[in-house]
DNA sequence: GCCAACGTTGGC
DNA sequence: GCCAACGTTGGC
């Protein structure tokens, strides 16, 4: 199983909205590196949900329930989506501030490549987020 | 609102 | 194939 992190601006699509919807297809990815990451997601993989701009914190964990397929919001076959459903809400959000100063998490793409919207996490990094999020 | 980082586009 | 110009993202 693999681990990932996706970003969303809460203004556009928040964790709360995601929980109301019960599931969503992850659309709007228009960057090849992020797209390639989407394509590598397998059913059952766990995905951290990060609020960018507003909040700047990891708020929950989602699960991949359907692997990649053509993005229904465009005819351009370059772009794909995956289906996600909410799994856990973190007891405590893990803030960017914490991530930047944490020995394990400061090495994640969130810090090193701040513009990438879909990125892989290692198991260690993933577990560290759960621990800091009060889910350990 | 500004700016750094970085991806993409297009002229040559 | 290089590189300048431009656009977008996201932190501050």
């Amino acid at each position: 199983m693999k681990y990932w992190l996706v970003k969303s601006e809460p203004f556009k699509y928040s964790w709360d909205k995601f929980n109301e919807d019960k599931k969503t297809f992850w659309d709007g990815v228009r960057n090849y590196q992020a797209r390639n990451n989407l394509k590598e997601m397998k059913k059952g993989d766990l995905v951290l949900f990060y609020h960018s701009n507003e909040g700047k914190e990891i708020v929950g964990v989602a699960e991949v329930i359907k692997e990649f397929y053509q993005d229904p919001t465009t005819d351009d076959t370059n772009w794909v989506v995956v289906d996600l459903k909410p799994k856990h809400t973190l007891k405590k959000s893990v803030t960017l501030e914490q991530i930047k100063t944490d020995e394990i998490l400061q090495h994640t793409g969130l810090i090193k490549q701040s513009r990438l919207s879909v990125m892989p996490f290692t198991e260690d990094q993933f577990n560290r987020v759960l621990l800091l999020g009060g889910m350990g």
Side-chain angles (χ1 to χ4, degrees), chain A residues 51-99:
Chain A
H51 277 167
S52 63
N53 277 318
E54 241 177 88
K56 286 174 289 180
E57 56 194 12
I58 300 170
V59 290
V61 182
E63 181 181 343
V64 178
I65 53 172
K66 187 175 179 189
E67 291 170 19
F68 77 91
Y69 56 98
Q70 167 68 34
D71 186 336
T73 66
T74 176
D75 290 333
D76 188 337
T77 54
N78 279 321
W79 307 118
V80 302
V81 299
V82 297
D83 283 358
L84 300 177
K85 72 168 185 192
K87 195 171 171 72
H88 308 294
T89 300
L90 295 181
K91 291 197 181 102
K92 293 178 292 182
S93 297
V94 178
T95 65
L96 183 63
E97 194 64 26
Q98 285 176 280
I99 292 164

Side-chain angles (χ1 to χ4, degrees), chain A residues 84-130:
Chain A
L84 300 177
K85 72 168 185 192
K87 195 171 171 72
H88 308 294
T89 300
L90 295 181
K91 291 197 181 102
K92 293 178 292 182
S93 297
V94 178
T95 65
L96 183 63
E97 194 64 26
Q98 285 176 280
I99 292 164
K100 280 200 295 193
T101 55
D102 187 83
E103 234 177 79
I104 293 169
L105 296 178
Q106 67 184 223
H107 301 295
T108 60
L110 257 191
I111 307 303
K112 290 197 290 190
Q113 218 182 336
S114 65
R115 290 184 53 225
L116 188 61
S117 60
V118 180
M119 68 188 75
F121 260 50
T122 67
E123 189 175 358
D124 283 350
Q125 291 165 347
F126 182 84
N127 288 334
R128 183 67 179 160
V129 172
L130 292 192

Side-chain angles (χ1 to χ4, degrees), chain A residues 4-22:
Chain A
W4 309 92
L5 178 139
V6 297
K7 292 182 182 176
S8 180
E9 295 183 52
F11 174 72
K12 286 186 191 156
Y13 196 78
S14 70
W15 179 250
D16 285 348
K17 181 69 166 54
F18 184 31
N19 277 274
E20 280 172 31
D21 290 350
K22 302 283 198 290

Side-chain angles (χ1 to χ4, degrees), chain A residues 18-71:
Chain A
F18 184 31
N19 277 274
E20 280 172 31
D21 290 350
K22 302 283 198 290
K23 65 174 266 190
T24 192
F25 55 85
W26 203 257
D27 69 327
V29 169
R30 294 291 182 272
N31 166 286
Y32 288 102
Q33 207 179 337
R35 192 278 313 266
N36 291 343
N37 288 332
L38 279 185
K39 283 190 167 183
E40 281 188 36
M41 288 187 185
K42 298 290 181 211
K43 200 171 170 180
D45 282 0
L46 297 178
V47 182
L48 297 166
F49 194 108
Y50 176 81
H51 277 167
S52 63
N53 277 318
E54 241 177 88
K56 286 174 289 180
E57 56 194 12
I58 300 170
V59 290
V61 182
E63 181 181 343
V64 178
I65 53 172
K66 187 175 179 189
E67 291 170 19
F68 77 91
Y69 56 98
Q70 167 68 34
D71 186 336

